[in-house]
Amino acid sequence: MISNVEPGDEGVYTCQIITKLDMVEASSTLTLCDRPDPPVHLQVTNAKHRVVTLNWTPGDDNNSPILEYVVEFEDQDMKENGWEELKRVAADKKHVNLPLWPYMSYRFRVIAINDQGKSDPSKPSDLYKTPADAPDSNPEDVRSESTDPDTLVITWEEMDKRNFNGPDFKYRVMWRRVVGSGPDWHEKYTIAPPFIVTDVQNFSAFEIKVQAVNKKGLGPEPDPVIGYSGEDVPLEAPLNLGVLLENSTTIRVTWAAVDKETVRGHLLGYKIYLTWGHHRNSRAQEPENTVMVQTGANEEKKSITNLRPYCHYDLAISAFNSKGEGPLSEKTSFMTPEGVPGPPMSMQMTSPSESEITLHWTPPSKPNGILLGYSLQYRKMQSDDNPLQVVDIASPEITHLTLKGLDRHSHYQFLLMARTAAGKGLSIEILGATTLEGLPPANISLSAEERSVNLSWEARKRHRTVGFQIHYFSKNDGGKWKKTEMVNSSLQFYQLHGLTPGSHYRLLFTYKNNTFWETEIQTKGTSVTEVQPSFATQGWFIGVVSAVVLLLLVLLILCFIKRSKGGKYSVKDKEDGPMDSEARPMKDETFGEYSDLEEKRTASQPSLGEDSKLCSEDNLDFNGSSAVTTELNMDESLASQFSRHSEGPEPFHGVPDNSPLNPAANPPATNGAPSFLN
């Protein structure tokens, strides 16, 4: 392989294969092919009025024959257009005659083409200018585009600058009326379209033409075209408006054409306006509506269909042109005749019993006339051979009907139609069967969650809706039976909630106090053992304890109040006289006994009055020198201590000697104050 080939690589190449026994070789010639070199030595010769001859010398074809040459030019006055192709020349030519435009500055160049591609462009030729000349052509598509009344707008397609052919180029605009203005032309000059002529009549016809002009002269004589001044809306409405009723939904409208002089423009056609309110005897109030039907310019009659039967219409017509519509004609009123009514708006069905069906309906929204009644048709749907039953309803006020003696096993088709004087209208259809007596649901499905059970079932389609209840209890804790509210069988779903996770439940489904299905189900989750309330947490026990504590507080308060008033514990005699607390005789860890019956009675029946021993100073006084501690027996109630009668000198058995509830335990202190206050 030879890479990066250059012209110096051309030549004959030989390849040899040599072995011990023999040698072979082959030779080949390498020739390079490339795009041609550009032509050289461009010259412009034989310049005539609008033709020159361009000569050139071909460049090297680089081993690939020249196929053709392309001659390009550049206008020095319009360099923004760049180089443009002017002519293609055969490969065997070395010159060409070029047609040129007047009043232009040319430079030329040539490009050679072979199988390898295009050469680079040649160097441009010397500048060549063509002389000016009169225009060769006139602008095209001359027309009027008048929009405003009393104006004539003349316009055209602008000419290419190369066709100006000389300096001081402009357009010569000429116009004259087609009728009444004579052969004289009005003319004006302008350098660009459009040209506007004012103070002319509305929609008047003019001959118009536009001619190209430059300093060297005029272009060819143009042919005139017809244009019109601006249009205005028509002045008059069509006359002799007539309406022919063909049927309840179709009319034929006729009119006389308007005078062309009053159109003040090109007549485009007529517009027919139909206005209506609501149907007579219609139950629905409708707003006033208007529909427009458009015709052609040459029409003088029109059939209009799809009208509403038994409806009042107002009709008017106007002419129109591109500027707008003229005045409306006088209104013509008419009433369409009665037609067959529309279908009843709705129909519903109920079934009072297994052999009866009651139909309820609403009258048609479009009666299209005066309703005379209804016609009901019905049949069994099991076979097409079943006879069609017909019931005529004579009054339009009847909106329901009960059919009796129907087959409870059959389905029926019902067709209801309203009637007017024009006949029966469209029907409304309903399919159905009688409703059977209600039954509880069947095919009940259950799905358990942690605290609920979802139940679903199939509703019986033809059966009446019934209510049933679900009874349930937890087998884990042996709780009482619970039941749900009444469940409607048409719901097809119910959620039994408030259950305990991980519990086994038994469910009974009852209808009219009879069980129609039962099952068991396990809720999801882990079972939670219910903690039984202890005795100490019972409400009645807490109340009793609270009452006792409150009573003790009241007693203590009363004792303190009595002590503050200086109350004394009354006794007749204490031994032989006052003694020191340490010298008093004690027996069985008690104070001295008293034989007086009165004293015993006083000790055994303490009073809450002024002389109560429980509230005396001596009972509330603690002996500072005694440190006797006894065990309080909680099994004996305070009530028994207060109710015991004359049992000896120890009225409060089991109460510590230093207790304020023991009247004999604490003799008065020497200083007259309780020891706990010292």
Side-chain angles (χ1 to χ4, degrees):
M1 177 181 289
I2 303 174
S3 60
N4 300 322
V5 178
E6 297 178 356
D9 295 327
E10 287 185 327
V12 177
Y13 289 82
T14 301
C15 180
Q16 294 180 340
I17 300 177
I18 302 172
T19 67
K20 293 180 179 181
L21 301 177
D22 199 359
M23 180 188 74
V24 235
E25 66 178 28
S27 299
S28 178
T29 303
L30 176 62
T31 302
L32 296 181
C33 297
D34 199 357
R35 297 182 302 122
D37 293 339
V40 295
H41 305 139
L42 270 65
Q43 291 183 350
V44 177
T45 61
N46 300 327
K48 295 181 182 180
H49 181 56
R50 296 189 184 181
V51 178
V52 296
T53 299
L54 179 65
N55 301 278
W56 64 89
T57 300
D60 191 351
D61 64 2
N62 292 325
N63 300 320
S64 179
I66 301 295
L67 300 178
E68 64 178 346
Y69 296 96
V70 177
V71 179
E72 296 180 340
F73 77 96
E74 182 183 47
D75 184 358
Q76 299 305 297
D77 295 328
M78 300 178 64
K79 286 191 174 183
E80 64 274 9
N81 292 336
W83 289 90
E84 302 176 65
E85 183 177 320
L86 180 60
K87 200 169 187 179
R88 288 183 176 255
V89 183
D92 58 346
K93 302 291 185 181
K94 299 179 183 179
H95 65 274
V96 65
N97 293 328
L98 301 174
L100 305 177
W101 284 280
Y103 197 60
M104 285 184 62
S105 298
Y106 287 92
R107 296 182 74 185
F108 304 99
R109 70 182 187 183
V110 181
I111 299 174
I113 301 176
N114 65 8
D115 287 334
Q116 307 305 315
K118 293 181 178 182
S119 70
D120 294 333
S122 66
K123 291 182 179 181
S125 67
D126 295 334
L127 185 64
Y128 177 77
K129 291 185 178 181
T130 55
D133 200 355
D136 297 326
S137 62
N138 291 313
E140 297 179 352
D141 196 17
V142 178
R143 63 195 183 276
S144 67
E145 291 184 350
S146 307
T147 56
D148 297 327
D150 296 328
T151 61
L152 174 65
V153 179
I154 304 171
T155 188
W156 58 90
E157 297 296 327
E158 286 196 79
M159 295 176 62
D160 190 335
K161 195 174 182 180
R162 293 171 183 169
N163 293 321
F164 287 0
N165 289 3
D168 298 333
F169 180 83
K170 51 194 167 185
Y171 299 99
R172 182 187 179 203
V173 183
M174 295 167 283
W175 71 94
R176 69 178 180 181
R177 290 185 184 275
V178 173
V179 179
S181 62
D184 295 335
W185 287 88
H186 304 275
E187 65 178 46
K188 291 288 183 181
Y189 291 89
T190 184
I191 59 174
F195 183 79
I196 300 176
V197 183
T198 59
D199 297 328
V200 295
Q201 294 179 355
N202 295 328
F203 198 66
S204 298
F206 289 85
E207 286 184 311
I208 54 177
K209 55 185 180 179
V210 180
Q211 188 177 29
V213 179
N214 64 18
K215 191 174 182 180
K216 288 294 185 176
L218 303 175
E221 183 65 27
D223 294 328
V225 296
I226 302 299
Y228 291 87
S229 58
E231 296 187 22
D232 204 349
V233 295
L235 289 173
E236 295 181 359
L239 302 176
N240 302 328
L241 184 61
V243 177
L244 175 63
L245 297 174
E246 295 187 352
N247 54 49
S248 61
T249 60
T250 304
I251 61 171
R252 180 180 292 274
V253 183
T254 59
W255 65 92
V258 294
D259 187 353
K260 292 183 178 181
E261 295 297 328
T262 66
V263 177
R264 300 196 296 181
H266 293 288
L267 179 63
L268 300 180
Y270 300 91
K271 293 183 179 181
I272 303 172
Y273 290 93
L274 285 165
T275 303
W276 74 94
H278 57 81
H279 291 63
R280 293 184 62 182
N281 298 334
S282 174
R283 297 177 179 272
Q285 294 296 324
E286 301 179 26
E288 193 173 77
N289 296 279
T290 299
V291 66
M292 185 271 292
V293 179
Q294 188 169 306
T295 73
N298 298 321
E299 292 185 77
E300 296 183 12
K301 58 184 177 181
K302 184 72 173 181
S303 291
I304 301 176
T305 58
N306 297 324
L307 300 183
R308 297 188 172 194
Y310 205 57
C311 186
H312 179 272
Y313 282 91
D314 292 325
L315 185 145
I317 187 172
S318 67
F320 71 97
N321 57 25
S322 62
K323 195 66 179 178
E325 296 182 41
L328 284 171
S329 66
E330 293 185 1
K331 289 184 179 181
T332 297
S333 298
F334 63 93
M335 183 76 184
T336 53
E338 284 191 73
V340 296
M345 287 192 293
S346 65
M347 183 164 65
Q348 296 178 340
M349 182 185 71
T350 59
S351 177
S353 70
E354 292 188 347
S355 62
E356 295 180 335
I357 286 180
T358 301
L359 299 174
H360 302 263
W361 64 87
T362 53
S365 60
K366 298 177 181 179
N368 297 338
I370 300 175
L371 288 181
L372 302 178
Y374 298 91
S375 177
L376 175 66
Q377 301 175 354
Y378 67 97
R379 65 179 181 87
K380 294 181 180 180
M381 295 182 59
Q382 278 74 2
S383 173
D384 294 336
D385 298 334
N386 291 323
L388 189 67
Q389 306 292 327
V390 179
V391 178
D392 287 327
I393 303 168
S395 172
E397 303 300 325
I398 296 176
T399 57
H400 66 276
L401 178 67
T402 299
L403 301 174
K404 300 182 178 181
L406 301 180
D407 183 5
R408 64 187 296 271
H409 301 291
S410 299
H411 283 72
Y412 288 85
Q413 176 191 32
F414 300 93
L415 299 173
L416 181 68
M417 297 159 283
R419 289 185 291 108
T420 64
K424 297 178 181 179
L426 300 176
S427 63
I428 185 173
E429 180 184 30
I430 190 172
L431 306 177
T434 59
T435 302
L436 305 180
E437 292 300 325
L439 293 176
N443 300 326
I444 302 175
S445 301
L446 294 86
S447 63
E449 302 294 338
E450 283 194 2
R451 297 184 179 275
S452 63
V453 172
N454 297 324
L455 301 96
S456 60
W457 58 87
E458 295 180 1
R460 301 178 185 269
K461 295 182 179 180
R462 287 190 55 194
H463 291 265
R464 301 184 189 280
T465 299
V466 298
F468 64 96
Q469 285 184 302
I470 305 169
H471 299 254
Y472 62 98
F473 82 98
S474 174
K475 301 179 69 175
N476 291 34
D477 54 14
K480 295 181 179 180
W481 281 93
K482 300 179 182 179
K483 64 179 179 180
T484 65
E485 72 274 17
M486 196 66 68
V487 182
N488 193 318
S489 62
S490 64
L491 298 178
Q492 302 185 46
F493 178 82
Y494 183 77
Q495 186 178 65
L496 185 63
H497 50 77
L499 306 182
T500 304
S503 296
H504 195 79
Y505 283 88
R506 181 171 179 80
L507 281 69
L508 299 180
F509 294 76
T510 61
Y511 169 63
K512 291 184 177 179
N513 296 326
N514 294 321
T515 300
F516 65 89
W517 193 62
E518 61 180 277
T519 187
E520 295 184 359
I521 194 169
Q522 176 85 24
T523 56
K524 295 181 180 180
T526 305
S527 173
V528 179
T529 303
E530 183 177 359
V531 179
Q532 296 296 331
S534 65
F535 180 82
T537 61
Q538 297 296 321
W540 65 268
F541 178 75
I542 296 174
V544 171
V545 171
S546 299
V548 171
V549 172
L550 181 61
L551 180 60
L552 290 176
L553 290 175
V554 171
L555 290 176
L556 289 175
I557 291 171
L558 291 176
C559 291
F560 277 114
I561 293 173
K562 181 63 177 176
R563 176 177 174 77
S564 64
K565 292 182 177 181
K568 290 288 185 176
Y569 176 67
S570 59
V571 294
K572 287 187 177 182
D573 293 312
K574 287 187 178 182
E575 298 297 330
D576 296 329
M579 296 177 63
D580 186 82
S581 60
E582 295 180 358
R584 289 179 182 175
M586 301 186 66
K587 183 178 180 181
D588 296 331
E589 296 180 356
T590 59
F591 293 102
E593 297 182 355
Y594 303 96
S595 60
D596 192 292
L597 183 61
E598 184 77 17
E599 195 71 13
K600 290 182 180 180
R601 184 169 54 251
T602 303
S604 64
Q605 297 180 353
S607 174
L608 296 178
E610 292 183 359
D611 297 331
S612 175
K613 293 182 181 181
L614 288 173
C615 296
S616 65
E617 253 184 337
D618 297 335
N619 282 319
L620 292 176
D621 193 5
F622 291 93
N623 188 347
S625 60
S626 298
V628 181
T629 303
T630 60
E631 182 179 357
L632 176 64
N633 187 357
M634 294 303 295
D635 294 332
E636 297 180 15
S637 66
L638 295 177
S640 64
Q641 301 294 336
F642 283 96
S643 61
R644 188 178 292 120
H645 297 281
S646 301
E647 295 179 356
E650 296 179 6
F652 289 86
H653 294 283
V655 179
D657 296 338
N658 58 352
S659 173
L661 299 178
N662 193 339
N666 296 309
T670 56
N671 56 2
S675 61
F676 69 88
L677 296 177
N678 292 336

